[in-house]
């Protein structure tokens, strides 16, 4: 009887460790990642034509056109460099004044 009781106690302790480790992983990894995804989604949804954007490559440009998946960004001061790209390539949005 004594062997069974200690085996049940160690199994309960193991389950408790797993639950605690899972909670730590959720709050340290998954939760911040979900918050960042929500922030990026909100930023991309609030983009408007004329906003200045920074791409993931570090290029600054002005939004010329926005579709569901893509944007057209104008780079440089000569107004001749317009490049279509995915919305996911936008890292930051600076609102127009």
């Amino acid at each position: 009887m004594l062997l069974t009781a200690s085996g049940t106690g160690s199994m309960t302790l193991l389950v408790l460790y797993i639950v605690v480790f899972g909670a730590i992983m959720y709050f340290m990894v998954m939760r911040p990642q979900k918050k960042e995804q929500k922030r990026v989604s909100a930023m991309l949804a609030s983009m408007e034509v004329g906003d200045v954007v920074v791409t993931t490559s570090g290029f600054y440009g002005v939004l010329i056109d926005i579709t569901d998946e893509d944007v057209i960004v104008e780079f440089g001061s000569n107004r001749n460099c317009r490049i279509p790209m995915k919305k996911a390539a936008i890292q930051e949005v600076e609102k127009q004044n």
Side-chain angles (χ1 to χ4, degrees), residues 16-81:
L16 181 65
Y17 282 144
I18 291 172
V19 168
V20 168
F21 182 72
I24 290 171
M25 288 298 291
Y26 175 77
F27 284 107
M28 296 291 290
V29 176
M30 294 177 195
R31 188 166 181 236
Q33 185 178 16
K34 286 182 182 180
K35 287 175 80 173
E36 178 66 14
Q37 286 175 346
K38 285 182 183 179
R39 184 194 69 80
V40 168
S41 296
M43 176 190 67
L44 294 178
S46 70
M47 288 190 311
E48 297 175 347
V49 172
D51 288 347
V52 175
V53 296
V54 179
T55 65
T56 54
S57 305
F59 292 109
Y60 285 83
V62 178
L63 288 175
I64 301 300
D65 189 25
I66 302 173
T67 62
D68 291 336
E69 296 289 324
D70 302 323
V71 294
I72 297 178
V73 182
E74 183 176 72
F75 296 101
S77 59
N78 64 1
R79 307 283 187 223
N80 291 329
C81 184

